[in-house]
């Protein structure tokens, strides 16, 4: 790939990984407009690593507290709000792992088309608007509870359908279940850590088994750009989401879906 293509795609992936606007929808546009070829498995690994580093570094204090508290709950039976949050995130990850393995081939065979992405971008955008309007805006992430965490986890499993947006559907579910906007976003971002880590491991396995040539310059540039984009996105999103709400993202998704439909069906 040319340098501009590496930067552009890594920037898109880093931003859309955490904004509720669907990374799949954005990654299909360059190929439709500019005729770019697929970026390859190793580049996918690179941008996932960049996004993972961003969320881990941003939430490093919370992760450290949760990890220590989780270990204490395991071996000492001491339960705190941090250990409970850690268990809820683990619980919320299980549906995505299960359905990801069970439906992977089905999704890749039948639901990866641009038409599906255009339609789901619109449908789940409207669902985000419903979640925003339904939200009671009451609970923090430490008041989620295991039932709500599991329901958010099942919502996350829907993100295996391209165009859904992992962050979009989990924030939608969290809002519907009463979490305030910032708490919904924080819980969604913390949930992303095991999911992105798992995706990076699977992509690395596929890339190594395919015995592909590695362009290390592209890989490192992809990691750096996606890291900067993802970290910046997390920082500003959490700063403004309580005041701004989800309506701007809903409107953006509707416009994006319309543009995709225009390219695909006209």
């Amino acid at each position: 790939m040319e340098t501009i293509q590496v930067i552009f795609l890594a920037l898109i992936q880093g931003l859309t990984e955490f904004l509720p606007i669907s990374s799949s929808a954005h990654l299909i546009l360059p190929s439709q407009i500019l005729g770019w070829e697929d970026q390859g498995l190793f580049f996918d690994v690179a941008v996932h690593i960049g996004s993972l580093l961003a969320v881990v570094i941003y939430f490093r204090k919370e992760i450290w507290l949760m990890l220590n508290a989780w270990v204490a709950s395991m071996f000492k039976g001491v339960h705190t709000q941090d250990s409970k949050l850690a268990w809820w995130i683990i619980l919320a990850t299980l549906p995505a792992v299960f359905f990801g393995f069970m439906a992977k081939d089905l999704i890749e065979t039948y639901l990866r088309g641009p038409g599906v992405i255009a339609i789901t971008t619109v449908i789940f955008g409207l669902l985000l608007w419903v979640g925003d309007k339904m939200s009671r805006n009451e609970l923090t992430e430490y008041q989620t509870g295991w039932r709500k965490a599991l329901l958010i986890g099942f919502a996350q499993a829907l993100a295996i359908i391209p165009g859904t947006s992992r962050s979009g559907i989990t924030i939608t579910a969290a809002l519907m279940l009463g979490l305030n906007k910032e708490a919904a976003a924080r819980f969604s971002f913390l949930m992303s850590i095991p999911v992105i880590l798992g995706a990076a491991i699977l992509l690395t396995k596929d890339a190594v088994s395919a015995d592909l040539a590695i362009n290390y310059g592209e890989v490192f540039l992809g990691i750096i750009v996606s890291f900067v984009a993802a970290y910046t996105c997390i920082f500003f999103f959490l700063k403004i989401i309580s005041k701004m709400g989800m309506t701007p993202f809903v409107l953006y998704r509707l416009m994006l879906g319309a543009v995709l439909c225009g390219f695909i069906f006209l």
Side-chain angles (χ1 to χ4, degrees), residues 137-160:
N137 210 37
E138 296 173 342
L139 307 176
T140 70
E141 63 268 33
Y142 293 102
Q143 297 171 297
T144 303
W146 71 267
R147 292 181 181 86
K148 290 183 175 65
L150 188 59
L151 288 172
I152 297 171
F154 277 107
Q156 180 172 244
L158 290 173
I160 63 176

PDB file of all heavy atoms in Angstrom, residues 137-160:
ATOM      1  N   ASN A 137     -30.680   7.252  32.346  1.00  0.00           N
ATOM      2  CA  ASN A 137     -29.485   8.024  32.698  1.00  0.00           C
ATOM      3  C   ASN A 137     -29.197   7.995  34.197  1.00  0.00           C
ATOM      4  O   ASN A 137     -28.848   9.013  34.801  1.00  0.00           O
ATOM      5  CB  ASN A 137     -29.652   9.468  32.216  1.00  0.00           C
ATOM      6  CG  ASN A 137     -28.325  10.122  31.858  1.00  0.00           C
ATOM      7  OD1 ASN A 137     -27.442   9.456  31.326  1.00  0.00           O
ATOM      8  ND2 ASN A 137     -28.185  11.396  32.146  1.00  0.00           N
ATOM      9  N   GLU A 138     -29.329   6.805  34.800  1.00  0.00           N
ATOM     10  CA  GLU A 138     -29.247   6.707  36.256  1.00  0.00           C
ATOM     11  C   GLU A 138     -27.969   6.026  36.760  1.00  0.00           C
ATOM     12  O   GLU A 138     -27.366   6.476  37.744  1.00  0.00           O
ATOM     13  CB  GLU A 138     -30.454   5.916  36.789  1.00  0.00           C
ATOM     14  CG  GLU A 138     -31.782   6.560  36.545  1.00  0.00           C
ATOM     15  CD  GLU A 138     -32.940   5.654  36.941  1.00  0.00           C
ATOM     16  OE1 GLU A 138     -32.734   4.426  37.077  1.00  0.00           O
ATOM     17  OE2 GLU A 138     -34.049   6.191  37.111  1.00  0.00           O
ATOM     18  N   LEU A 139     -27.558   4.948  36.143  1.00  0.00           N
ATOM     19  CA  LEU A 139     -26.573   4.055  36.727  1.00  0.00           C
ATOM     20  C   LEU A 139     -25.164   4.316  36.210  1.00  0.00           C
ATOM     21  O   LEU A 139     -24.970   4.730  35.072  1.00  0.00           O
ATOM     22  CB  LEU A 139     -26.938   2.596  36.434  1.00  0.00           C
ATOM     23  CG  LEU A 139     -28.357   2.154  36.813  1.00  0.00           C
ATOM     24  CD1 LEU A 139     -28.590   0.718  36.369  1.00  0.00           C
ATOM     25  CD2 LEU A 139     -28.582   2.301  38.309  1.00  0.00           C
ATOM     26  N   THR A 140     -24.169   4.046  37.060  1.00  0.00           N
ATOM     27  CA  THR A 140     -22.780   4.043  36.627  1.00  0.00           C
ATOM     28  C   THR A 140     -22.403   2.613  36.232  1.00  0.00           C
ATOM     29  O   THR A 140     -23.172   1.660  36.461  1.00  0.00           O
ATOM     30  CB  THR A 140     -21.836   4.514  37.741  1.00  0.00           C
ATOM     31  OG1 THR A 140     -21.794   3.511  38.777  1.00  0.00           O
ATOM     32  CG2 THR A 140     -22.313   5.832  38.330  1.00  0.00           C
ATOM     33  N   GLU A 141     -21.192   2.451  35.677  1.00  0.00           N
ATOM     34  CA  GLU A 141     -20.764   1.106  35.289  1.00  0.00           C
ATOM     35  C   GLU A 141     -20.614   0.191  36.502  1.00  0.00           C
ATOM     36  O   GLU A 141     -20.717  -1.034  36.371  1.00  0.00           O
ATOM     37  CB  GLU A 141     -19.447   1.161  34.507  1.00  0.00           C
ATOM     38  CG  GLU A 141     -18.262   1.694  35.278  1.00  0.00           C
ATOM     39  CD  GLU A 141     -18.080   3.196  35.115  1.00  0.00           C
ATOM     40  OE1 GLU A 141     -19.089   3.904  34.984  1.00  0.00           O
ATOM     41  OE2 GLU A 141     -16.916   3.649  35.136  1.00  0.00           O
ATOM     42  N   TYR A 142     -20.425   0.766  37.698  1.00  0.00           N
ATOM     43  CA  TYR A 142     -20.275  -0.041  38.899  1.00  0.00           C
ATOM     44  C   TYR A 142     -21.616  -0.513  39.450  1.00  0.00           C
ATOM     45  O   TYR A 142     -21.660  -1.267  40.422  1.00  0.00           O
ATOM     46  CB  TYR A 142     -19.535   0.751  39.975  1.00  0.00           C
ATOM     47  CG  TYR A 142     -18.092   1.036  39.611  1.00  0.00           C
ATOM     48  CD1 TYR A 142     -17.714   2.299  39.151  1.00  0.00           C
ATOM     49  CD2 TYR A 142     -17.126   0.052  39.701  1.00  0.00           C
ATOM     50  CE1 TYR A 142     -16.396   2.561  38.808  1.00  0.00           C
ATOM     51  CE2 TYR A 142     -15.809   0.304  39.355  1.00  0.00           C
ATOM     52  CZ  TYR A 142     -15.457   1.560  38.899  1.00  0.00           C
ATOM     53  OH  TYR A 142     -14.148   1.816  38.549  1.00  0.00           O
ATOM     54  N   GLN A 143     -22.700  -0.064  38.835  1.00  0.00           N
ATOM     55  CA  GLN A 143     -24.047  -0.491  39.247  1.00  0.00           C
ATOM     56  C   GLN A 143     -24.703  -1.352  38.170  1.00  0.00           C
ATOM     57  O   GLN A 143     -25.910  -1.566  38.210  1.00  0.00           O
ATOM     58  CB  GLN A 143     -24.916   0.751  39.512  1.00  0.00           C
ATOM     59  CG  GLN A 143     -24.407   1.626  40.647  1.00  0.00           C
ATOM     60  CD  GLN A 143     -25.158   2.953  40.733  1.00  0.00           C
ATOM     61  OE1 GLN A 143     -25.106   3.761  39.815  1.00  0.00           O
ATOM     62  NE2 GLN A 143     -25.872   3.156  41.832  1.00  0.00           N
ATOM     63  N   THR A 144     -23.909  -1.878  37.262  1.00  0.00           N
ATOM     64  CA  THR A 144     -24.464  -2.620  36.131  1.00  0.00           C
ATOM     65  C   THR A 144     -25.169  -3.894  36.569  1.00  0.00           C
ATOM     66  O   THR A 144     -26.319  -4.154  36.199  1.00  0.00           O
ATOM     67  CB  THR A 144     -23.354  -2.968  35.119  1.00  0.00           C
ATOM     68  OG1 THR A 144     -22.703  -1.773  34.697  1.00  0.00           O
ATOM     69  CG2 THR A 144     -23.935  -3.677  33.916  1.00  0.00           C
ATOM     70  N   GLY A 145     -24.490  -4.716  37.355  1.00  0.00           N
ATOM     71  CA  GLY A 145     -25.064  -5.994  37.766  1.00  0.00           C
ATOM     72  C   GLY A 145     -24.857  -7.062  36.703  1.00  0.00           C
ATOM     73  O   GLY A 145     -24.678  -6.764  35.523  1.00  0.00           O
ATOM     74  N   TRP A 146     -24.903  -8.314  37.130  1.00  0.00           N
ATOM     75  CA  TRP A 146     -24.564  -9.392  36.195  1.00  0.00           C
ATOM     76  C   TRP A 146     -25.634  -9.595  35.123  1.00  0.00           C
ATOM     77  O   TRP A 146     -25.309  -9.952  33.992  1.00  0.00           O
ATOM     78  CB  TRP A 146     -24.305 -10.695  36.954  1.00  0.00           C
ATOM     79  CG  TRP A 146     -25.507 -11.360  37.568  1.00  0.00           C
ATOM     80  CD1 TRP A 146     -25.981 -11.208  38.834  1.00  0.00           C
ATOM     81  CD2 TRP A 146     -26.380 -12.300  36.915  1.00  0.00           C
ATOM     82  NE1 TRP A 146     -27.096 -11.988  39.029  1.00  0.00           N
ATOM     83  CE2 TRP A 146     -27.354 -12.670  37.871  1.00  0.00           C
ATOM     84  CE3 TRP A 146     -26.427 -12.864  35.645  1.00  0.00           C
ATOM     85  CZ2 TRP A 146     -28.374 -13.570  37.584  1.00  0.00           C
ATOM     86  CZ3 TRP A 146     -27.446 -13.760  35.349  1.00  0.00           C
ATOM     87  CH2 TRP A 146     -28.397 -14.106  36.306  1.00  0.00           C
ATOM     88  N   ARG A 147     -26.898  -9.350  35.448  1.00  0.00           N
ATOM     89  CA  ARG A 147     -27.957  -9.533  34.447  1.00  0.00           C
ATOM     90  C   ARG A 147     -27.811  -8.519  33.315  1.00  0.00           C
ATOM     91  O   ARG A 147     -27.882  -8.886  32.130  1.00  0.00           O
ATOM     92  CB  ARG A 147     -29.331  -9.401  35.100  1.00  0.00           C
ATOM     93  CG  ARG A 147     -29.679 -10.533  36.066  1.00  0.00           C
ATOM     94  CD  ARG A 147     -31.070 -10.343  36.652  1.00  0.00           C
ATOM     95  NE  ARG A 147     -31.412 -11.404  37.584  1.00  0.00           N
ATOM     96  CZ  ARG A 147     -31.089 -11.396  38.872  1.00  0.00           C
ATOM     97  NH1 ARG A 147     -30.390 -10.388  39.376  1.00  0.00           N
ATOM     98  NH2 ARG A 147     -31.445 -12.403  39.660  1.00  0.00           N
ATOM     99  N   LYS A 148     -27.627  -7.266  33.679  1.00  0.00           N
ATOM    100  CA  LYS A 148     -27.457  -6.236  32.655  1.00  0.00           C
ATOM    101  C   LYS A 148     -26.169  -6.472  31.857  1.00  0.00           C
ATOM    102  O   LYS A 148     -26.132  -6.290  30.634  1.00  0.00           O
ATOM    103  CB  LYS A 148     -27.436  -4.847  33.289  1.00  0.00           C
ATOM    104  CG  LYS A 148     -28.771  -4.382  33.858  1.00  0.00           C
ATOM    105  CD  LYS A 148     -28.654  -2.958  34.405  1.00  0.00           C
ATOM    106  CE  LYS A 148     -30.010  -2.437  34.873  1.00  0.00           C
ATOM    107  NZ  LYS A 148     -30.548  -3.189  36.023  1.00  0.00           N
ATOM    108  N   ALA A 149     -25.116  -6.887  32.547  1.00  0.00           N
ATOM    109  CA  ALA A 149     -23.851  -7.162  31.857  1.00  0.00           C
ATOM    110  C   ALA A 149     -24.029  -8.267  30.827  1.00  0.00           C
ATOM    111  O   ALA A 149     -23.517  -8.175  29.703  1.00  0.00           O
ATOM    112  CB  ALA A 149     -22.777  -7.557  32.870  1.00  0.00           C
ATOM    113  N   LEU A 150     -24.774  -9.299  31.186  1.00  0.00           N
ATOM    114  CA  LEU A 150     -24.996 -10.402  30.256  1.00  0.00           C
ATOM    115  C   LEU A 150     -25.827  -9.953  29.055  1.00  0.00           C
ATOM    116  O   LEU A 150     -25.546 -10.330  27.905  1.00  0.00           O
ATOM    117  CB  LEU A 150     -25.691 -11.558  30.966  1.00  0.00           C
ATOM    118  CG  LEU A 150     -25.833 -12.862  30.174  1.00  0.00           C
ATOM    119  CD1 LEU A 150     -24.470 -13.394  29.758  1.00  0.00           C
ATOM    120  CD2 LEU A 150     -26.577 -13.912  31.004  1.00  0.00           C
ATOM    121  N   LEU A 151     -26.829  -9.116  29.293  1.00  0.00           N
ATOM    122  CA  LEU A 151     -27.648  -8.606  28.194  1.00  0.00           C
ATOM    123  C   LEU A 151     -26.823  -7.730  27.255  1.00  0.00           C
ATOM    124  O   LEU A 151     -26.962  -7.807  26.028  1.00  0.00           O
ATOM    125  CB  LEU A 151     -28.838  -7.817  28.749  1.00  0.00           C
ATOM    126  CG  LEU A 151     -29.936  -8.645  29.420  1.00  0.00           C
ATOM    127  CD1 LEU A 151     -30.959  -7.724  30.094  1.00  0.00           C
ATOM    128  CD2 LEU A 151     -30.629  -9.546  28.398  1.00  0.00           C
ATOM    129  N   ILE A 152     -25.959  -6.904  27.829  1.00  0.00           N
ATOM    130  CA  ILE A 152     -25.065  -6.089  26.998  1.00  0.00           C
ATOM    131  C   ILE A 152     -24.124  -7.007  26.214  1.00  0.00           C
ATOM    132  O   ILE A 152     -23.782  -6.732  25.056  1.00  0.00           O
ATOM    133  CB  ILE A 152     -24.268  -5.092  27.862  1.00  0.00           C
ATOM    134  CG1 ILE A 152     -25.229  -4.113  28.544  1.00  0.00           C
ATOM    135  CG2 ILE A 152     -23.265  -4.311  27.011  1.00  0.00           C
ATOM    136  CD1 ILE A 152     -24.565  -3.224  29.600  1.00  0.00           C
ATOM    137  N   GLY A 153     -23.712  -8.099  26.837  1.00  0.00           N
ATOM    138  CA  GLY A 153     -22.863  -9.072  26.152  1.00  0.00           C
ATOM    139  C   GLY A 153     -23.556  -9.711  24.961  1.00  0.00           C
ATOM    140  O   GLY A 153     -22.946  -9.892  23.901  1.00  0.00           O
ATOM    141  N   PHE A 154     -24.845 -10.038  25.109  1.00  0.00           N
ATOM    142  CA  PHE A 154     -25.594 -10.587  23.980  1.00  0.00           C
ATOM    143  C   PHE A 154     -25.749  -9.543  22.872  1.00  0.00           C
ATOM    144  O   PHE A 154     -25.732  -9.883  21.687  1.00  0.00           O
ATOM    145  CB  PHE A 154     -26.961 -11.089  24.434  1.00  0.00           C
ATOM    146  CG  PHE A 154     -26.925 -12.473  25.024  1.00  0.00           C
ATOM    147  CD1 PHE A 154     -27.075 -12.672  26.385  1.00  0.00           C
ATOM    148  CD2 PHE A 154     -26.722 -13.579  24.215  1.00  0.00           C
ATOM    149  CE1 PHE A 154     -27.032 -13.947  26.933  1.00  0.00           C
ATOM    150  CE2 PHE A 154     -26.678 -14.855  24.739  1.00  0.00           C
ATOM    151  CZ  PHE A 154     -26.837 -15.052  26.111  1.00  0.00           C
ATOM    152  N   ALA A 155     -25.905  -8.286  23.268  1.00  0.00           N
ATOM    153  CA  ALA A 155     -25.952  -7.220  22.264  1.00  0.00           C
ATOM    154  C   ALA A 155     -24.621  -7.138  21.521  1.00  0.00           C
ATOM    155  O   ALA A 155     -24.590  -6.968  20.294  1.00  0.00           O
ATOM    156  CB  ALA A 155     -26.270  -5.886  22.939  1.00  0.00           C
ATOM    157  N   GLN A 156     -23.519  -7.268  22.252  1.00  0.00           N
ATOM    158  CA  GLN A 156     -22.204  -7.230  21.623  1.00  0.00           C
ATOM    159  C   GLN A 156     -22.045  -8.352  20.599  1.00  0.00           C
ATOM    160  O   GLN A 156     -21.380  -8.179  19.566  1.00  0.00           O
ATOM    161  CB  GLN A 156     -21.109  -7.338  22.676  1.00  0.00           C
ATOM    162  CG  GLN A 156     -19.708  -7.305  22.093  1.00  0.00           C
ATOM    163  CD  GLN A 156     -18.620  -7.216  23.155  1.00  0.00           C
ATOM    164  OE1 GLN A 156     -17.891  -6.250  23.214  1.00  0.00           O
ATOM    165  NE2 GLN A 156     -18.532  -8.218  24.006  1.00  0.00           N
ATOM    166  N   ALA A 157     -22.668  -9.500  20.862  1.00  0.00           N
ATOM    167  CA  ALA A 157     -22.584 -10.626  19.925  1.00  0.00           C
ATOM    168  C   ALA A 157     -23.183 -10.261  18.568  1.00  0.00           C
ATOM    169  O   ALA A 157     -22.780 -10.814  17.540  1.00  0.00           O
ATOM    170  CB  ALA A 157     -23.288 -11.849  20.517  1.00  0.00           C
ATOM    171  N   LEU A 158     -24.140  -9.333  18.534  1.00  0.00           N
ATOM    172  CA  LEU A 158     -24.734  -8.903  17.269  1.00  0.00           C
ATOM    173  C   LEU A 158     -23.720  -8.187  16.379  1.00  0.00           C
ATOM    174  O   LEU A 158     -23.917  -8.086  15.164  1.00  0.00           O
ATOM    175  CB  LEU A 158     -25.922  -7.974  17.523  1.00  0.00           C
ATOM    176  CG  LEU A 158     -27.186  -8.602  18.117  1.00  0.00           C
ATOM    177  CD1 LEU A 158     -28.194  -7.510  18.453  1.00  0.00           C
ATOM    178  CD2 LEU A 158     -27.788  -9.612  17.159  1.00  0.00           C
ATOM    179  N   ALA A 159     -22.652  -7.697  17.000  1.00  0.00           N
ATOM    180  CA  ALA A 159     -21.655  -6.936  16.238  1.00  0.00           C
ATOM    181  C   ALA A 159     -20.863  -7.806  15.270  1.00  0.00           C
ATOM    182  O   ALA A 159     -20.100  -7.274  14.470  1.00  0.00           O
ATOM    183  CB  ALA A 159     -20.703  -6.209  17.191  1.00  0.00           C
ATOM    184  N   ILE A 160     -21.044  -9.122  15.322  1.00  0.00           N
ATOM    185  CA  ILE A 160     -20.414  -9.967  14.312  1.00  0.00           C
ATOM    186  C   ILE A 160     -21.060  -9.730  12.943  1.00  0.00           C
ATOM    187  O   ILE A 160     -20.490 -10.091  11.914  1.00  0.00           O
ATOM    188  CB  ILE A 160     -20.469 -11.463  14.682  1.00  0.00           C
ATOM    189  CG1 ILE A 160     -21.909 -11.957  14.771  1.00  0.00           C
ATOM    190  CG2 ILE A 160     -19.718 -11.723  15.966  1.00  0.00           C
ATOM    191  CD1 ILE A 160     -22.045 -13.443  15.032  1.00  0.00           C
TER     192      ILE A 160
END
